Amino acid sequence: MSTAQICPSILAADILKLQEQVQAAERGGAARFQVDVMDGVFVPNISFGLPLVTAMRRATTTLLEAHLMIVQPDRYLEAFAQAGADLIIVHQEAAVHLDRSIQHIKQLGKKAGVALCPATPVHVLDEIVEELDLVLVMTVNPGFGGQKFIGYTLRKIRQMRELLEARHPQCEIEIDGGVDQQTIRAAYEAGARVFVVGTAVFGYAGGPAAGVQSLIEAAQPPGG
Ligand code: DX5
């Protein structure tokens, strides 16, 4: 069984100590990082945008994801690619011409991901799944950190795993929201392998390095 990849979400980081926190998370084994971009329209919250992606590009050499929780994401694909994102994730619910968006991201030389809100069924990806490098199953309603993992999304993760095993096994399954030392194991068993985590990393009592390490351990089957 492959090791869980922990992707700290900087939404929960102390922005005044970002470099230090990123380095600590890397020491704990963080495989990549995610910048949660929110526009206050697609989601009821505003977070950060291009300058923070540029800063994160300087803070880490690991894979950097830009999760675009914004309307009309096509407007900014080139800008996020230039800012340093390696993987750009658009929401299916916000990308009217999803195939065009995915092709554009790939023409920019970046990996392409699609995120689904909890109530959006897996089958919306039936026509395009082979074009994707990553699918992101939201396990909370996007917009805020520190929310509770939505239990029914476990079924959806299993459905996504079945779809990808049948059609596109090299595509990654990532989940985001409410992932912590108690919920990560069930999500791993359901088929998730990349875990966006904010609170349980940057809010972990023992610090980000210990938080990442404890999540990796909690995800593995008993006995490793
Ligand atoms: C939702 C946000 C959060 C965040 C992770 O839009 O993107 O899911 O990254 O938050 P935690 O790990 O605190 O639930």
Side-chain angles (χ1 to χ4, degrees), residues 7-12 34-38 43 67 69 91 136 138-149 175-180 196-201:
C7 177
S9 147
I10 63 165
L11 190 68
Q34 185 182 100
V35 178
D36 322 63
V37 180
M38 301 178 186
V43 292
H67 177 188
M69 290 168 270
H91 267 264
L136 172 51
M138 292 302 296
T139 43
V140 295
N141 291 299
F144 302 92
Q147 299 181 84
K148 189 175 177 307
F149 187 99
I175 65 171
D176 177 351
V179 177
D180 61 21
V196 177
V197 187
T199 305
V201 167

Side-chain angles (χ1 to χ4, degrees), residues 68-90:
L68 304 187
M69 290 168 270
I70 66 174
V71 296
Q72 299 166 16
D74 292 342
R75 297 168 297 159
Y76 296 106
L77 299 178
E78 194 155 342
F80 278 101
Q82 286 174 355
D86 299 303
L87 192 158
I88 300 175
I89 302 168
V90 298

Side-chain angles (χ1 to χ4, degrees), residues 135-176:
V135 291
L136 172 51
V137 177
M138 292 302 296
T139 43
V140 295
N141 291 299
F144 302 92
Q147 299 181 84
K148 189 175 177 307
F149 187 99
I150 298 175
Y152 69 70
T153 60
L154 286 171
R155 177 186 62 227
K156 188 171 168 183
I157 296 166
R158 283 192 286 274
Q159 290 169 350
M160 186 67 80
R161 170 58 63 197
E162 286 163 17
L163 173 68
L164 294 184
E165 279 176 355
R167 300 268 301 277
H168 192 33
Q170 60 268 47
C171 181
E172 295 184 308
I173 299 186
E174 181 175 66
I175 65 171
D176 177 351

Side-chain angles (χ1 to χ4, degrees), residues 8-41:
S9 147
I10 63 165
L11 190 68
D14 177 347
I15 299 301
L16 287 180
K17 299 191 293 185
L18 189 56
Q19 173 94 55
E20 175 190 324
Q21 297 219 305
V22 164
Q23 288 168 344
E26 286 180 343
R27 284 197 302 274
R32 56 177 81 181
F33 291 85
Q34 185 182 100
V35 178
D36 322 63
V37 180
M38 301 178 186
D39 64 0
V41 180

